[in-house]
Amino acid sequence: MAANGRKIREQVLALLDRKGYRPLNKIDIARELGLTGTQRNALRKTLRELERAGAIARIRKNRYVLPAEADLVAGKLSIHQAGYGFLIPETPGQPDIFIAAENIGTAMHGDRVVARISRDSPDDRIKGRREGRVIRILERAHDTIVGTLQRSPNFYYVVPDDPRFVHDVYVRPVAAVYDRRGRGAPKEDRRSQTAATVGDKVVVRLDAWESRHVNPEGEIIEVLGPATAPGIDMLSIIRKYHLPAEFPKDVLDQAERISEQIGARQLEGREDLRKEFIVTIDPDDARDFDDAIQVEKTKSGWRLGVHIADVAAYVEPGSALDREARRRGNSVYLPDRVIPMLPERLSTGVCSLNPGVDRLTHSVFINFDKNGVAKSARFAHSVIRSAHRLTYKQAYAILTSPPRDRLGERLHLAWELAALLRQKRFEHGSLDLDFPEVKVWVDKRGHPVRLERVDNDESHQLIEEFMLAANEAVARELKKRAIPTIYRVHENPDPEKLAEYREFVLSFNYRVGDLTHRAELQRLLASIRGKPEEQALKVALLKSLKRARYSPQPLGHYGLAKANYLHFTSPIRRYADLVAHRGLGRDGTPLPSAPSRTTERRSRSDAPYRADMGEIASIAEHISATERTAADAEIDASQMKKLEFFQRQLDQRNPQIFRAAIVDVRNYGLMVELPDALITGLVHVSSLTDDFYLFEPARRQLIGRRSRKRFKIGDEVSVFVARVDAFKRQVDFAIALASEARRTPRRK
């Protein structure tokens, strides 16, 4: 039947591609191909599969065509909260297609759709931008949404948390849905523990939505709790992004059977590094340590040792642990919790390189000459005992002080090598796209209490350079051995996107040439370093570049300027790294495996693990998607906590004074960025009460009519929060008077 299906698939595609083909429906196609009986059933299934894959398109009167022949494009729809959207074509290299709000139909953010290109649109003629209209939904991104239950006089509805879902969702008036006083529900339902009340966060399963002229409808399937209750905001993020909240029982049972002690059998064939001076450097609140380093000076240069937790020794391919890790793809880090890829028994226990205990590792040894050029690399299964667990702050304090002991001497030696590698990397064309981060510290109830800016200082750069070197060495080795693996790729940018970005840069009065030349892009990044608009320009650049992803092919990494690159150094939190470990372990000898508490017999087969290209390609596509989901959830959660932080200041009537930089000036006010909070907001012109301000568009300035006081891009000002719109994710600020700025101490 499968062979018959493939034959029908080929026949259908050949028919639709035939010169002079006129659109036919499925009955006419069956007649044209001479299909009868069961073959017609196979045809219907094949047509559905081809349409879902975007290989063919169904037009009016259910007739089928090849998409390109009818100006049709399949892709993923990305909707802006203002209502319009963009279709990101599935065919690589095609530009995005603008979809006006009135042309979206019943499609929602993230859906796979088919759009017809409007060749005669004014935007297409003027700007060369393609515009389209959604004609069919191939696949819904989600069948549930998370939002807040509300009530009008006549019906209940849910306001989605995601502003890109621009329609409220009507929910059926069931007995278990009522307001906080219990009105509208029978007595027996008022005792229900799962009843939804107005103001609760709920999960709604969406019904089929056929017409944009009426709101979508759905059914409440889970009540998370009052929107303002502690922890409900993060729980809503977990449900919104469909993150796994718990591990299945068989996964936890398998993890529990892994012994915390390393048996003699596991040490067979491993290089014993327990007496070497090896350290870990991680964030203050890190609980899983999957990388450790050592650096030694040699006669010809340096010897770098990077030691990575040997997760592959504990997670067997195809096991319950492996299947769940693959499904999750990566760990997710939210302000108040971690959703790990592996159970805590492994992630913070037997696999974590905690100080003073023996741990199984996979080591990369790289010899560099005095100029920082890698001359050789060696790979080994090893066992280590970390000598020190350093935080980034501790490492930075050591690096910025004269060495006082063995730890200080080794760390300063490591920085000598890291600084040289960093210099060489930028000389070879790597782009400086590092961003500072803001850590949101929360109390035991999950309320944000402090924002801490985390800069990419020498301690971070030291670890970054060594991890990059190890990742590149492993990528080169696996490519040389022709072993299928998952590469980390960042393809060259679209010249048109860079041209649009150049226009944006010019609006900030920077002189810039052709940004398709890497050297010119590097020069621009150097010129904006430390400027108030640096963050805005870097964010815009990232949006102009393609997104890094995982691929079975070594397509190179544009941002790092590396031909061969993959992820190897974080197997506790990324599945891609675990795949690389398994590939590197394919030397003809089975890896030592983790014994249970009752036995040390090898549970693996005697043959080394081998993955074919089809499986590798499938994993790469899946974990690229889980990585995007995790990044979106982390950004969303951090933004939510920042907004709560500012709202709490308003509620307590004790707003903090922040330093801010003006990054744009409009006729309605000043766009300011807070470098200590990494958040952008508006100072509305109506809040500037000391004068009447006029907008000067040529110089993009606001000028006081009486005082001639000027606000322009790049100016530094002191601000405090004036208003928070949690739904629109917007913060308004007001300028603090000089006396207020002096009176209120600025916190970190």
Side-chain angles (χ1 to χ4, degrees):
M1 181 69 184
N4 186 36
R6 283 197 299 273
K7 183 179 179 182
I8 291 175
R9 176 189 176 96
E10 293 166 1
Q11 289 177 320
V12 168
L13 292 174
L15 172 64
L16 270 61
D17 195 34
R18 185 186 300 168
K19 188 176 181 180
Y21 167 78
R22 289 188 174 184
L24 303 174
N25 61 28
K26 60 187 174 186
I27 296 174
D28 294 331
I29 290 174
R31 187 181 300 118
E32 187 74 19
L33 298 178
L35 304 180
T36 58
T38 57
Q39 291 179 320
R40 294 200 172 205
N41 291 332
L43 172 66
R44 284 193 289 271
K45 181 181 178 183
T46 299
L47 290 172
R48 285 197 301 271
E49 290 175 349
L50 287 171
E51 184 183 1
R52 194 176 300 118
I56 65 174
R58 185 156 43 105
I59 58 174
R60 286 177 298 177
K61 298 183 180 179
N62 291 324
R63 294 173 297 179
Y64 293 92
V65 295
L66 294 178
E69 296 299 318
D71 283 338
L72 302 178
V73 179
K76 187 174 180 179
L77 184 64
S78 177
I79 295 180
H80 189 273
Q81 64 187 60
Y84 61 85
F86 286 91
L87 180 75
I88 303 158
E90 293 178 347
T91 305
Q94 288 193 14
D96 296 348
I97 299 166
F98 176 78
I99 311 289
E102 63 270 19
N103 291 327
I104 287 176
T106 59
M108 299 181 184
H109 177 74
D111 289 352
R112 283 185 67 239
V113 302
V114 173
R116 172 171 280 118
I117 298 172
S118 307
R119 294 292 182 186
D120 297 328
S121 69
D123 282 325
D124 188 56
R125 290 195 306 270
I126 298 170
K127 300 178 182 177
R129 181 178 68 180
R130 298 197 302 173
E131 188 171 339
R133 177 172 59 87
V134 174
I135 65 164
R136 194 169 304 281
I137 299 166
L138 298 176
E139 184 181 351
R140 287 287 189 194
H142 304 295
D143 60 357
T144 62
I145 63 105
V146 177
T148 306
L149 181 65
Q150 302 291 351
R151 184 183 184 181
S152 74
N154 299 318
F155 51 81
Y156 291 94
Y157 62 98
V158 172
V159 180
D161 282 356
D162 192 337
R164 294 171 298 190
F165 289 91
V166 295
H167 297 274
D168 295 337
V169 180
Y170 294 160
V171 289
R172 286 181 284 281
V174 295
V177 179
Y178 52 90
D179 63 24
R180 291 206 175 277
R181 296 181 183 177
R183 292 176 300 198
K187 280 186 179 180
E188 58 271 20
D189 286 325
R190 296 179 194 180
R191 296 192 300 269
S192 171
Q193 295 298 306
T194 59
T197 62
V198 172
D200 278 351
K201 287 286 182 189
V202 296
V203 181
V204 176
R205 181 190 293 119
L206 297 168
D207 295 340
W209 186 28
E210 304 295 340
S211 173
R212 192 175 175 85
H213 300 297
V214 296
N215 280 46
E217 298 182 11
E219 176 187 3
I220 294 175
I221 60 172
E222 184 180 7
V223 181
L224 303 181
T228 56
I232 296 301
D233 53 356
M234 291 300 102
L235 184 57
S236 69
I237 290 284
I238 290 171
R239 294 293 188 269
K240 175 180 174 180
Y241 291 96
H242 306 277
L243 302 175
E246 297 177 350
F247 284 96
K249 185 177 183 302
D250 60 340
V251 175
L252 293 174
D253 289 345
Q254 186 180 351
E256 282 300 315
R257 290 194 295 271
I258 294 174
S259 173
E260 293 184 10
Q261 304 301 317
I262 296 176
R265 187 68 179 271
Q266 290 174 278
L267 297 179
E268 291 178 7
R270 286 188 179 269
E271 197 166 322
D272 193 341
L273 304 173
R274 285 176 287 189
K275 293 183 179 179
E276 299 288 332
F277 194 82
I278 295 171
V279 300
T280 63
I281 305 177
D282 293 277
D284 293 18
D285 56 343
R287 297 176 62 202
D288 51 16
F289 315 123
D290 47 17
D291 57 84
I293 61 163
Q294 67 177 134
V295 177
E296 298 168 357
K297 204 73 178 280
T298 64
K299 290 182 180 179
S300 57
W302 285 273
R303 178 177 179 262
L304 167 66
V306 176
H307 313 285
I308 307 301
D310 194 355
V311 176
Y314 296 95
V315 180
E316 302 170 25
S319 65
L321 272 171
D322 180 57
R323 291 195 304 272
E324 182 65 13
R326 177 172 169 173
R327 183 176 77 87
R328 294 181 176 222
N330 42 256
S331 298
V332 185
Y333 296 86
L334 304 179
D336 67 340
R337 73 193 76 187
V338 176
I339 301 175
M341 184 180 79
L342 297 169
E344 286 194 9
R345 184 174 183 82
L346 275 74
S347 61
T348 63
V350 295
C351 290
S352 186
L353 307 183
N354 301 318
V357 294
D358 295 353
R359 288 291 183 253
L360 303 182
T361 46
H362 208 152
S363 298
V364 180
F365 300 98
I366 308 174
N367 289 309
F368 294 94
D369 66 15
K370 293 179 180 179
N371 297 317
V373 178
K375 290 300 183 182
S376 64
R378 183 173 68 85
F379 310 91
H381 294 101
S382 53
V383 57
I384 71 165
R385 184 181 297 157
S386 173
H388 289 279
R389 185 275 193 210
L390 292 174
T391 67
Y392 281 119
K393 289 178 182 175
Q394 291 169 334
Y396 181 71
I398 293 172
L399 289 173
T400 52
S401 304
R404 298 186 180 91
D405 52 18
R406 187 185 184 192
L407 175 60
E409 290 170 357
R410 287 300 187 94
L411 218 55
H412 276 263
L413 182 67
W415 174 243
E416 283 183 40
L417 174 59
L420 183 57
L421 295 180
R422 187 172 176 83
Q423 177 188 335
K424 299 286 290 184
R425 179 161 65 88
F426 289 120
E427 286 175 358
H428 290 151
S430 183
L431 302 179
D432 182 9
L433 295 174
D434 291 325
F435 283 92
E437 298 178 6
V438 166
K439 167 77 177 174
V440 183
W441 292 94
V442 298
D443 60 20
K444 292 180 179 179
R445 292 171 60 83
H447 294 310
V449 293
R450 180 164 61 94
L451 305 181
E452 180 186 6
R453 179 182 167 112
V454 181
D455 287 300
N456 187 42
D457 59 32
E458 286 92 332
S459 63
H460 293 77
Q461 294 169 14
L462 183 149
I463 293 299
E464 178 185 22
E465 293 306 323
F466 293 163
M467 297 307 110
L468 290 175
N471 288 338
E472 186 177 20
V474 173
R476 277 200 300 255
E477 182 70 12
L478 291 179
K479 183 178 179 181
K480 184 176 75 175
R481 293 192 206 172
I483 293 174
T485 193
I486 295 174
Y487 293 92
R488 182 66 168 176
V489 302
H490 187 211
E491 294 154 285
N492 290 342
D494 183 347
E496 291 183 4
K497 293 269 189 181
L498 286 181
E500 291 176 9
Y501 174 67
R502 181 178 180 272
E503 293 298 319
F504 179 69
V505 173
L506 290 173
S507 71
F508 285 83
N509 297 320
Y510 280 92
R511 297 184 63 182
V512 62
D514 185 354
L515 294 179
T516 59
H517 297 148
R518 185 182 292 270
E520 186 67 14
L521 199 51
Q522 284 185 302
R523 191 189 68 77
L524 170 64
L525 290 171
S527 66
I528 66 175
R529 191 174 300 130
K531 301 292 177 61
E533 59 272 13
E534 178 183 10
Q535 181 87 356
L537 289 174
K538 276 190 172 181
V539 169
L541 174 58
L542 282 179
K543 291 179 179 179
S544 302
L545 302 179
K546 292 183 179 176
R547 193 166 190 165
R549 62 184 177 89
Y550 293 107
S551 169
Q553 302 295 335
L555 303 177
H557 198 292
Y558 175 79
L560 295 173
K562 293 185 182 297
N564 303 297
Y565 190 71
L566 53 65
H567 280 163
F568 173 81
T569 54
S570 296
I572 290 177
R573 62 183 180 89
R574 291 188 306 224
Y575 194 79
D577 304 56
L578 181 55
V579 172
H581 277 243
R582 289 170 175 166
L584 194 60
R586 283 179 48 184
D587 54 1
T589 305
L591 301 181
S593 61
S596 68
R597 289 173 175 170
T598 58
T599 179
E600 285 191 10
R601 278 187 303 110
R602 292 192 183 185
S603 55
R604 297 178 186 224
S605 65
D606 288 336
Y609 168 74
R610 297 180 182 277
D612 60 35
M613 283 297 289
E615 182 184 4
I616 290 291
S618 174
I619 295 172
E621 183 177 1
H622 170 68
I623 62 179
S624 292
T626 61
E627 180 193 48
R628 287 193 294 271
T629 299
D632 290 345
E634 289 167 0
I635 293 169
D636 202 348
S638 178
Q639 183 77 352
M640 184 180 290
K641 286 299 182 186
K642 288 180 185 178
L643 293 172
E644 184 187 346
F645 175 80
F646 288 118
Q647 183 62 55
R648 283 167 65 84
Q649 291 194 352
L650 281 179
D651 295 342
Q652 295 165 2
R653 298 185 178 181
N654 184 28
Q656 205 173 304
I657 304 297
F658 284 89
R659 64 190 180 100
I662 299 175
V663 294
D664 199 3
V665 180
R666 305 288 178 87
N667 61 344
Y668 50 82
L670 313 170
M671 295 302 299
V672 296
E673 182 183 89
L674 280 58
D676 295 323
L678 291 186
I679 196 167
T680 302
L682 174 69
V683 175
H684 199 275
V685 69
S686 62
S687 71
L688 302 174
T689 56
D690 63 328
D691 201 344
F692 184 83
Y693 285 86
L694 301 172
F695 178 57
E696 187 180 89
R699 297 183 181 180
R700 289 167 77 175
Q701 295 182 108
L702 284 179
I703 304 175
R705 185 162 60 184
R706 175 182 53 78
S707 63
R708 307 307 294 170
K709 183 178 178 181
R710 297 170 184 265
F711 290 104
K712 60 184 183 301
I713 293 174
D715 285 352
E716 289 204 0
V717 293
S718 296
V719 300
F720 60 90
V721 62
R723 189 178 72 93
V724 176
D725 188 327
F727 177 69
K728 291 183 179 179
R729 306 291 176 91
Q730 294 174 352
V731 183
D732 286 352
F733 294 98
I735 301 290
L737 300 177
S739 57
E740 292 173 322
R742 285 195 301 269
R743 187 172 64 248
T744 307
R746 181 172 58 83
R747 300 180 202 164
K748 234 184 175 182

